[in-house]
Each structure stands twice: as C-alpha cells, then as structure tokens.
Amino acid sequence: MLRTALRNVLAHKARLMMTALAVLLGVAFVAGTLIFSDTVGEAVKNASAKNLKDVAVSVQATSDPEAPDAAGADKDGKRATALDNKLADRIRALPGVASVRSDVTGEATLAGKDDQPVGNGWQNRAVNYQPGKDGKDSRYPLAAGRGPANGKEMALAESTAKAAGYRIGDTVRFATDGPVLTKKLVGLVATDDPQVTAGGSLALFDTATAQQLFLHPGQFDELVVAATPGTDQRALTAKVRELLPKDRAEATSGSELAAQQAKMIAQQNSALSKTLLTFAGIALFVGVFIIANTFTMLISQRSREIALLRAVGASRRQVVRSVLAEAGLLGLISSVVGFALGLGIAVGLRAVLDANGAGFPDGPVIITPPTVLAALAVGVVVTVLAAWLPSRKAAKIAPVEALSTVEAPPAPRSLVVRNSLGAVITGLGVAVMLWVSTLDSSDDLPLAMAGSMLTLIGVIILAPLLSRPLVSLAGLVTTRLFGIGGKLAKENALRNPRRTAATASALMIGLTLITGMTVVGNSAQRGMDKMAASDLTADYKIETATYVGLDPELSKKVAKLPGVEAMAAFQGTGISSDGGFGYLRGTDLSQIDKVTRISFKQGSLDAVRAGGMAISQTWAKQHGWQAGDVVNAEFNDKKKAKLKIAAVYADNETLGDGFADMSLLGPHADRAKYDELLVKTTGGGSPELVKEIRHALGDSPLLKIQNHDDMRKENAGQIDTILNMVYGLLGMAVIIAVVGVVNTLAMSVFERTREIGMLRAIGLARSGIKQMVRLESVVISLFGAVLGIGVGIFLAWAGGSLVGSSFPTYEMVLPWGRLGLFLLIALVVGVLAALWPARRAARLNMLEAIGAQ
C-alpha cells in the first residue's frame, strides 16, 4: 500500500501541484514567521548583551514619590534623583569596583535643515558625553570631530546628522521641553543603540549641560559600575545596595539586567510572532478546504482503482492508510519547499521593516531545529488531517458499486446531516453575536471572537445548501448575458454543491475577515470625524509631539495675536473618588464654550463658573452621580478636597471625564505647563497665522499644530495602516483561495473530459468551451465573495458595539466603494483562475475526449 501511495503521487503530479502550492504557501508563512522572530530576537539579544558587556552593577534612580509627574519630574519638568557625585564616589571606593560611569538621559527633538522634526518621538534620546583620560567616550566612539566640551557645543549620532542634514560646524536647532535651543555641532559618534537604529535620534552634551537640561546640578539617572576581573557580581551588587538611599534608587547586577532584557525582548517578539502566526493559521485553514477538495476529487476519479484493491484483498484500514500516506508524502515535499520559501520571506520581511524605520540590529539568519521541525510538522499534519475524511469515504466504497460507475452522487442523508449540523452551529453563532451587539465593553472581545468563529464555521458547513439559490441567481445573469455558455456554467457549478462550496469557502474566509475589518475601520473613522466636527469648534489644536507641555507665558502671547478670537488652555490631573478614578481638566471657563460645543444634561456652565466641576454623562452614570452631589476627591499630588458636581454634560472627547476652572485644578496639576491649547480664529485660520503661532511659542520643533483636516488625516492614517497590514497578511489566504479555484477547475475539466468532447461534437466551439469554464470560475468566485462580504458585514455590525464603547459617535457605515472593489477583485480572481483550465479544456482532442474512460 505504501508503494501504491508513492505511485499515486508520481502518477498525478499535475493534479496535486496546486494542492502542494497551497500547503507550501501556508508552511512558508509559518516558517518565515518563526525564522524572522528567532533572527530578530537573537540580534536584539546580542546587541543588548554587547551594551551590557562591561556592566557589573546598574544603579538606577527611581521616581521621586513626591513629584506630581508620573516620570518623577517636578512642575518645571526637571527630574530630581538621589544619584549624585557623592554616591558615585562611595561606590567607586568599594573593593572590586573598576570604574563608575555617571549617565544623564533625556529627550531632545531636533529640527532638520528643512525645519521639520527629526526622529521618532519618544526615541529621540539625549545623553551626556563622558570622555576618559584620552578625551574620548568609549561607549560612543567618535566617527568625526570631537566630543562636546562646554554648554555651547553638542555631538550627534552619524545617522541623526545625516537625517537632519547637519555637518560639523553647523548650528543645530533642537528642543527638550519647549522653546528652541541652539548649539554648535562639533562631533559625530557611532552607536548601535536599538532606539536610535529604529528611527530615533541621538544628541550628546557635556555632563553639566545635560544636567541643566534634564535634571538638577550634580544629579544622574544611572550609575554604571564596572568590576575588576574575578569580582563576584552578586556580592558586589549587595554591597552597592547597602549604600543606596531607601526607595530612591535600586541596584541590579549585570546578569540580572541581561535576564530582564532577554525576557522583555522575548515578550516583544512574542506579540509580533503571535500576530503573524494567527494569519498563517488562517492561510493554512483556507488550505484545508483545497486539500480536502483535491483528495475528494482524486478518490472519486480513482474509484475503479480503489475497488480493484478492495477486490484483491485490501482492507478498509489499508485504503485509509494508503490515502493518508499519499497525503503525508505530499505534505512533506510541500513543507520542505515551503520552508525554503519561508527562509526567503523572513529575510525579505526584515529588509522591508528595516526600510520602513524598524532598524533591527545586524545579525545572522537563525534557523533552529525546533523551527524546522515545527514548520515540517505543520505542513504534514494539516495535509493528513485534511485528507482524513476523503480517505474514509474511499474506504467505504463497495467494490461492486465502484466498478459499475465512475462517480456516485453523495448520499442524501449525508447532506441532511451536514445541513442540520450547520444550522445548529450557525444559529448558535448568530445568537452569540446578537447578544454581543447588546454589550458595550471591550472586555467582551473574546466572546465576540468566539461568536464570530462559530458563525463562520456554521456558514462554511451550510455553504452547499446556500450555493444552490445563490449560484442559480448568478446563473440567471450569466444565461441572459452569455446564452448557452452561461447556462452550462451554472449547471456545472450546481452539479456538485459540496465541491463548489469547498472551493468558494476558501475565498469566503479571507473576504469575511477583510470585509469585517474594513467596515469596522471605516465606521470608526467616520465616528472620529463626526466627534471632531460635533465637539470641536476651535480651528487649531496645539500640543507638543512628546507631550512635555507648553510654556504658559508663551501661550499667553498666542491669545493676543491678530486673528485669534478665543483661546482655551488645558491642565489636567487625575482624581480618585469613591473607588473610581477619572481625569479632570482645568481650563479657562470664560473661553471654553467658544472652542468646543457643550451639551449639558444637568446644570449649566454658569453653575460651573460659580464653583465646582462638570463631569461627563458616562462618568456620572458609572458612579451614580448627579448635579449637586459633593464627592471626596484625592488628587495625584495626594492632596484631598471636597468637589461639588455643578453640571453633567453629554460625552465630549475634548473635555474627557470632567473639567473645572483652572484656578481650582491648576495647583494640583501634574505639571506647571499647559497640556494643550485650543484656538478659535476669526477667519478659519491660515498658513500665515500658523507661522505666527509657532513664532509666539518659540519656534520649537516639538510643536504640533493641527487643524481639523490634520486631525482627521492622523486618525485616518492610523486606521489605514492597520487595514493595509491586515490586507497584506490576509492576501496570502486569498492567493491560496485562488489556487483552490484553479485546482478545482482543472480537476473538474479532467472529470468532464468525455462531456467536453460531446459538446465539441455537437457544435460548441473552442471559444464556447473557454467561456463555459471561465463563467463557472466567475460564478464560484462571486458566490464566495457574496457569502464572505455578507458574513463580514453581519459580524462587523454585531461586534461594532464593542468598538463604540471607546467613543459615543461610532455608527456603522458601509464603505460601498471598497465593498464594490472586493466584488470586482472576486470577478478578476474568477477570470484569472480559469485561464489555464479553460485553455486546457478547449485544446482537448474531440475524438480522444469522447473515448476517454
């Protein structure tokens, strides 16, 4: 039987080619993901280990518990730490300490020669340059020039200077927390810091200047201790800990730090790997339909052969094993080729991500034995499992019955059982999704995913039943437009509803997911636009790119600019009250109603001006509050107060949980600077006014001034990025579905060889044969597309309430243009998938086809 399985694989190479292609594409996705994760993880791990090579103990400052800012900064934006020169000298005096490096770190955003910000937000690092006895900093090797020696000089990473367009001797413009600063560029350094290589920037200052910018004089963020050879890291770490002030600093050994970083890297890679493997699983799931379809058709075509095997003594179990051995061999060959393709995908994926600013460290491609075994096992197991049901069907064929006919129609009972099972599962899935539609918390997402899976599986099982009315409807169109060719195409698609359903289901799965994501994304975008249009009446929203805040004194200048009608500044702080937490915003109550629309449900703005706070309707509902209640509040600065609820307003994205007068919340605000400004102009704004606003705020590269279109584009950009990623990843499933259509049609043409010969004999031209096959392909593809789009819309509608919990203006909007594009793509898929099968059918010799067995 093993020789029989091998012979069958070799005898049907062409028919199995498309099935093998589906398997190898899925395996390639899995292998590429695993190799990519291992390669990047090892490269980042090696880069981190290199940075920690000389670190025996790392002493890091912890956040000041008295500081109002979560990062430990005071209201002036400066951090206060317990690490100073005295502590560094005491550590330096310990036995076994070779050296102590005193680091200052912060963030600095550069303005390039084109006045645009350089780098990527939080990855714009600034550090102190610490020259040794030779005048060089070993951690940042000089590539050109020299290190900064005073407060008028700075150095940059080579990549940063290149991105900004600066050369040694130029005056560099940058900002750390507001107004623009300038210093002379005196040197360029090399660095393999992952934050910098991943799209950030690196600026270096002398230690005194770095402390002036980010800390207080004489203070540091970290003390890096290097040990003499033979020193025990754990013992040295324990000695260092004895010198540290309680709750103000912590010491970690180099080995512990390396373990922590390795764990963090593994967690980061795990999230990406799980995402990619999820889509790989979808691709393999789609491939299951193609594999099962192929083996079902092969077994039907080889029924005489199977009957002969049974007649000469082969048992049912041997027939099953023979088919499964054939599937296993096919899966193994496909997996080997797929693994090789996956290796190319891993290398290409890394190159693409690097080109888009990922900046992964250099390192060799890592191929581990578990990755090889996992990829091969996935391909073989999926193929064998998909062939299991067809193998059982083969074993159940009675020898005499099989010898008397080439193909027997499926038993009516099996379709009844299938339809009954499908109806139960679909009904359960729909019921779950209808329940989900009444929920409004994102915590219920797992329930929505389970309901979606049940609905999708149920529809797949019911697909043969659904194929008859939908294909018949499509057949009316094809018959009217293309005559006898269209009618034959419809009859061929309906001849075996199981096969048609399995082929269409592969395409349906991909389009269901794509449609669902598209509808939700488009609806979310429309909700954001509606929220911005309904809530925000200001023409400009002004904040800093790194959220360090805006200088209040400079902000006052904006309100005095010609053309500015109103300006409201915001300062925020969190409060805890009666077991709940919220974020209150302090603002100018004389201006607030000019920059945003406020719909009060209880109380009024005058009541808020008289004292107290206004809270959102959602926050009030959560705690059972109403206007007139007094709550016991504790601010982030640990101070307590009794706050009166003066008003309740409809949810407003601009105002958040609640707001009050600046004089009430300002003393408790997380920082002395303003969080943002909302500016209303007399003429709707202009580029000239934007320049004046920038100038009034110090021309800082940190400034982010957005009008309504800018905010809309930013939100749309984020959603489009997610959708494009989903389209790209699900594209593999669609490609596999196309392979399935090609495979089904090709084998169907082989089955109908005699029938095609008869059609040619009674006068149907070659072009008519091609048209018949093409239309059959189009009908199957459109059936899958309509089913997928319909299920996708339903799932998006039912699950949309969970997305709507994030903002009240969410409402489902169907993107008719994109849905029409999906149908067009399905039409194109049908035409392209039929090219080879149609050409093969048309080229059949008439007499040989009629005589075929």
Side-chain angles (χ1 to χ4, degrees):
M1 298 303 291
L2 181 62
R3 286 197 300 270
T4 302
L6 180 61
R7 183 187 64 79
N8 283 330
V9 171
L10 296 176
H12 303 100
K13 295 187 291 293
R15 297 185 221 174
L16 291 172
M17 182 177 65
M18 291 298 174
T19 304
L21 184 58
V23 177
L24 73 86
L25 286 175
V27 171
F29 209 154
V30 173
T33 298
L34 295 176
I35 295 172
F36 171 79
S37 300
D38 291 342
T39 299
V40 171
E42 189 67 21
V44 175
K45 184 178 179 181
N46 291 338
S48 299
K50 183 178 179 182
N51 287 335
L52 296 172
K53 183 177 63 174
D54 298 324
V55 179
V57 184
S58 170
V59 180
Q60 296 182 334
T62 56
S63 298
D64 183 356
E66 301 299 323
D69 188 87
D74 56 27
K75 290 194 174 185
D76 294 325
K78 299 287 185 68
R79 301 189 306 277
T81 76
L83 308 186
D84 53 22
N85 287 316
K86 291 182 180 180
L87 179 60
D89 290 339
R90 292 172 65 190
I91 295 174
R92 198 174 283 114
L94 289 173
V97 173
S99 64
V100 176
R101 179 185 177 90
S102 306
D103 289 343
V104 179
T105 59
E107 296 170 359
T109 301
L110 278 65
K113 283 293 187 70
D114 57 359
D115 291 329
Q116 296 300 312
V118 176
N120 189 15
W122 301 105
Q123 295 174 300
N124 294 333
R125 299 192 65 226
V127 300
N128 59 323
Y129 187 82
Q130 302 176 59
K133 294 180 180 180
D134 59 355
K136 299 178 180 179
D137 189 333
S138 59
R139 188 170 184 178
Y140 300 103
L142 284 169
R146 59 178 177 83
N150 55 59
K152 297 181 180 180
E153 299 175 344
M154 70 183 299
L156 295 174
E158 284 183 291
S159 58
T160 303
K162 182 178 179 181
Y166 287 121
R167 296 181 180 181
I168 292 179
D170 288 344
T171 298
V172 178
R173 297 174 62 248
F174 69 96
T176 59
D177 62 355
V180 68
L181 303 172
T182 58
K183 296 190 185 299
K184 183 179 180 181
L185 180 61
V186 297
L188 302 178
V189 303
T191 180
D192 55 3
D193 188 321
Q195 290 191 45
V196 180
T197 58
S201 64
L202 176 65
L204 302 97
F205 308 93
D206 67 284
T207 298
T209 301
Q211 289 172 334
Q212 180 184 4
L213 290 172
F214 308 114
L215 299 172
H216 294 278
Q219 295 182 351
F220 305 96
D221 290 298
E222 182 181 13
L223 301 177
V224 180
V225 182
T228 55
T231 302
D232 184 84
Q233 282 191 5
R234 293 185 179 181
L236 182 59
T237 302
K239 293 179 181 178
V240 170
R241 283 176 180 154
E242 294 176 357
L243 302 178
L244 303 181
K246 187 177 180 181
D247 298 329
R248 296 297 307 279
E250 57 185 12
T252 309
S253 68
S255 57
E256 290 175 333
L257 204 60
Q260 291 174 4
Q261 290 196 0
K263 184 178 180 180
M264 181 180 65
I265 291 167
Q267 290 175 343
Q268 292 173 344
N269 282 345
S270 176
L272 177 61
S273 297
K274 286 179 180 177
T275 301
L276 294 175
L277 285 174
T278 297
F279 287 97
I282 293 171
L284 286 169
F285 184 57
V286 171
V288 165
F289 291 92
I290 299 169
I291 299 165
N293 218 13
T294 299
F295 275 93
T296 298
M297 296 171 73
L298 283 175
I299 287 166
S300 177
Q301 294 169 15
R302 298 202 317 249
S303 56
R304 288 180 182 274
E305 177 185 323
I306 294 170
L308 286 172
L309 289 173
R310 294 279 285 115
V312 297
S315 66
R316 289 187 174 185
R317 186 171 296 179
Q318 285 179 309
V319 171
V320 170
R321 283 204 298 260
S322 175
V323 175
L324 294 183
E326 184 179 344
L329 186 59
L330 175 68
L332 181 61
I333 296 172
S334 303
S335 298
V336 171
V337 179
F339 184 85
L341 180 60
L343 179 61
I345 290 176
V347 174
L349 180 61
R350 182 175 177 179
V352 169
L353 291 177
D354 278 338
N356 285 276
F360 296 117
D362 293 331
V365 176
I366 304 298
I367 302 176
T368 62
T371 296
V372 177
L373 293 176
L376 296 181
V378 164
V380 173
V381 169
V382 167
T383 308
V384 171
L385 286 178
W388 182 67
L389 285 177
S391 71
R392 287 177 57 84
K393 179 183 177 182
K396 290 180 180 179
I397 298 175
V400 174
E401 181 182 352
L403 287 171
S404 64
T405 181
V406 174
E407 181 180 4
R413 184 183 174 192
S414 64
L415 286 175
V416 170
V417 171
R418 174 172 179 155
N419 293 339
S420 301
L421 179 63
V424 171
I425 296 177
T426 304
L428 181 60
V430 170
V432 172
M433 293 309 296
L434 290 176
W435 182 25
V436 167
S437 68
T438 65
L439 305 176
D440 58 0
S441 173
S442 57
D443 295 336
D444 297 309
L445 184 60
L447 181 63
M449 294 177 66
S452 299
M453 184 63 69
L454 283 173
T455 304
L456 185 58
I457 292 174
V459 172
I460 290 172
I461 297 174
L462 281 177
L465 178 65
L466 298 173
S467 66
R468 183 160 296 279
L470 292 178
V471 171
S472 297
L473 183 62
L476 294 177
V477 178
T478 57
T479 301
R480 180 174 294 274
L481 294 178
F482 301 99
I484 189 63
K487 185 174 182 180
L488 288 172
K490 181 197 74 171
E491 295 299 329
N492 289 333
L494 290 175
R495 179 179 302 181
N496 192 327
R498 286 174 170 236
R499 183 184 305 167
T500 297
T503 306
S505 293
L507 184 61
M508 182 200 74
I509 294 168
L511 282 179
T512 294
L513 299 175
I514 289 174
T515 299
M517 291 294 295
T518 300
V519 172
V520 170
N522 186 76
S523 300
Q525 179 59 53
R526 188 67 61 87
M528 291 179 183
D529 294 344
K530 185 177 179 181
M531 181 183 294
S534 61
D535 291 347
L536 193 63
T537 57
D539 296 303
Y540 294 108
K541 177 182 177 182
I542 305 170
E543 58 189 354
T544 53
T546 54
Y547 307 104
V548 294
L550 299 159
D551 189 314
E553 294 302 318
L554 293 178
S555 300
K556 292 176 182 177
K557 295 181 180 180
V558 175
K560 299 178 182 179
L561 290 174
V564 173
E565 180 181 327
M567 186 197 78
F570 289 89
Q571 277 182 308
T573 183
I575 69 165
S576 299
S577 178
D578 298 334
F581 180 82
Y583 194 80
L584 289 182
R585 312 194 76 189
T587 187
D588 185 349
L589 296 182
S590 67
Q591 302 289 310
I592 187 63
D593 57 339
K594 299 177 183 178
V595 296
T596 184
R597 294 185 182 91
I598 312 175
S599 176
F600 287 100
K601 301 299 181 180
Q602 299 177 24
S604 64
L605 186 57
D606 289 336
V608 182
R609 288 169 180 159
M613 63 177 180
I615 63 173
S616 69
Q617 193 172 13
T618 296
W619 202 26
K621 183 179 178 181
Q622 287 175 350
H623 299 284
W625 293 336
Q626 56 185 354
D629 289 349
V630 176
V631 298
N632 297 312
E634 181 179 341
F635 298 98
N636 279 353
D637 61 3
K638 307 302 180 183
K639 294 181 180 179
K640 298 180 180 180
K642 290 184 179 295
L643 297 178
K644 179 182 178 181
I645 299 175
V648 177
Y649 57 88
D651 289 357
N652 182 305
E653 182 71 11
T654 302
L655 300 174
D657 292 331
F659 69 92
D661 190 79
M662 189 80 77
S663 61
L664 177 62
L665 296 182
H668 308 286
D670 293 342
R671 55 189 171 196
K673 295 184 177 182
Y674 292 151
D675 297 330
E676 66 180 37
L677 306 176
L678 295 181
V679 177
K680 175 72 173 176
T681 66
T682 53
S686 66
E688 291 74 20
L689 181 57
V690 172
K691 290 181 181 179
E692 292 180 15
I693 292 174
R694 282 191 173 277
H695 183 68
L697 292 172
D699 285 324
S700 171
L702 290 173
L703 284 175
K704 187 176 178 182
I705 304 177
Q706 296 178 298
N707 58 22
H708 285 259
D709 286 339
D710 295 330
M711 288 183 276
R712 188 178 296 111
K713 288 176 182 177
E714 183 178 64
N715 292 331
Q718 294 171 355
I719 293 175
D720 285 343
T721 298
I722 295 173
L723 286 179
N724 289 335
M725 182 185 72
V726 171
Y727 291 160
L729 293 173
L730 288 176
M732 183 71 74
V734 175
I735 291 173
I736 294 175
V738 174
V739 170
V741 177
V742 175
N743 202 25
T744 299
L745 288 173
M747 300 189 75
S748 180
V749 166
F750 177 83
E751 280 185 348
R752 303 201 307 263
T753 299
R754 178 182 292 181
E755 177 185 318
I756 292 172
M758 292 296 294
L759 289 172
R760 291 277 291 114
I762 62 176
L764 189 61
R766 294 182 187 271
S767 59
I769 297 293
K770 288 183 178 180
Q771 184 186 72
M772 177 186 70
V773 177
R774 280 197 298 265
L775 289 175
E776 181 182 353
S777 176
V778 168
V779 166
I780 293 173
S781 298
L782 287 179
F783 167 55
V786 170
L787 214 55
I789 292 173
V791 174
I793 291 174
F794 169 72
L795 296 180
W797 169 78
S801 60
L802 304 184
V803 181
S805 64
S806 302
F807 49 94
T809 54
Y810 177 90
E811 60 177 345
M812 190 174 115
V813 178
L814 295 180
W816 294 109
R818 291 199 181 187
L819 296 181
L821 179 62
F822 296 159
L823 282 174
L824 180 61
I825 290 174
L827 180 65
V828 173
V829 164
V831 173
L832 294 179
L835 289 178
W836 177 60
R839 186 167 180 268
R840 184 172 179 270
R843 296 180 65 182
L844 288 175
N845 182 280
M846 185 190 310
L847 296 180
E848 291 179 358
I850 293 174
Q853 296 297 321

